[in-house]
Amino acid sequence: AAGVIQSPRHLIKEKRETATLKCYPIPRHDTVYWYQQGPGQDPQFLISFYEKMQSDKGSIPDRFSAQQFSDYHSELNMSSLELGDSALYFCASSRRTNSYEQYFGPGTRLTVT
Amino acid sequence: QKEVEQNSGPLSVPEGAIASLNCTYSDRGSQSFFWYRQYSGKSPELIMFIYSNGDKEDGRFTAQLNKASQYVSLLIRDSQPSDSATYLCAVEYRGGSEKLVFGKGTKLTVNP
């Protein structure tokens, strides 16, 4: 079965640079979630989109923004990167119309140096 | 602040034994409960979900939910070394985006 696709899988950036992470949800899934997981931490919710509209916002810094496009893929834009932004970034998708299960992508490991 | 609490472990069981993982949550309005398995450096993998009080079985896994006690558990029967991972309890809060709030996870080691 098709899964959530994330790109890139690994990303190395320097402080103050920008990064863009991409997420392609499972086909026919209408909701996308972004989570951040620091070393030894549990995943923390950042932001979500339902039918291309932002549906909720969590602990996402103002330096970050995201959107969902007409084909349902989503991008997380991160600017003025800080060392503390180094983490795993997961995208998850669900089909809200008939279930609540969220399926996670493989993640993007961001390292800020 | 909605919270999800888990015993951080580590939990160590011998191969073939039953592993029992526990989770409590603070918000009585919570309606959906999930167990994810996460291997080191990998993404969370959904292994069980439960929405109603009682037990739900899927293969070697059984999820148990008691909303009155705000308690959810996961039993793994006939534990295998490949079950060694961190198990994350997640609670979904509806009325918005259905975001997940995770516990800190319990690290399980199954010894051959």
Side-chain angles (χ1 to χ4, degrees), chain B residues 37-54:
Chain B
R37 177 174 63 196
Q38 187 174 30
Y39 296 109
S40 181
K42 303 298 184 182
S43 62
E45 175 192 5
L46 180 63
I47 55 172
M48 287 290 287
F49 56 90
I50 186 166
Y51 303 146
S52 304
N53 277 329

Side-chain angles (χ1 to χ4, degrees), chain B residues 26-100:
Chain B
S26 63
D27 190 344
R28 288 192 173 274
S30 308
Q31 300 191 43
S32 305
F33 307 88
F34 304 86
W35 284 99
Y36 285 84
R37 177 174 63 196
Q38 187 174 30
Y39 296 109
S40 181
K42 303 298 184 182
S43 62
E45 175 192 5
L46 180 63
I47 55 172
M48 287 290 287
F49 56 90
I50 186 166
Y51 303 146
S52 304
N53 277 329
D55 295 359
K56 179 182 178 182
E57 186 174 320
D58 184 2
R60 297 187 296 111
F61 299 100
T62 298
Q64 300 174 317
L65 175 61
N66 184 325
K67 289 187 178 181
S69 301
Q70 296 175 241
Y71 174 87
V72 59
S73 67
L74 178 70
L75 299 177
I76 306 174
R77 291 180 300 280
D78 188 23
S79 296
Q80 302 296 309
S82 59
D83 294 327
S84 299
T86 295
Y87 289 80
L88 297 164
C89 173
V91 176
E92 185 176 62
Y93 295 90
R94 298 189 193 169
S97 68
E98 288 76 44
K99 67 183 180 187
L100 295 177

Side-chain angles (χ1 to χ4, degrees), chain A residues 35-92:
Chain A
Y35 293 87
Q36 177 193 58
Q37 187 174 29
Q41 303 296 313
D42 55 288
Q44 294 292 313
F45 171 74
L46 293 177
I47 196 167
S48 62
F49 294 87
Y50 169 61
E51 286 289 345
K52 293 153 280 183
M53 298 288 289
Q54 180 181 309
S55 53
D56 200 359
K57 198 170 182 179
S59 51
I60 184 170
D62 292 340
R63 300 177 287 108
F64 295 6
S65 65
Q67 56 183 326
Q68 186 180 32
F69 295 87
S70 58
D71 64 351
Y72 293 97
H73 94 272
S74 178
E75 295 184 2
L76 177 66
N77 299 295
M78 311 161 70
S79 63
S80 302
L81 287 169
E82 303 174 355
L83 295 178
D85 296 329
S86 296
L88 273 167
Y89 290 84
F90 293 110
C91 172

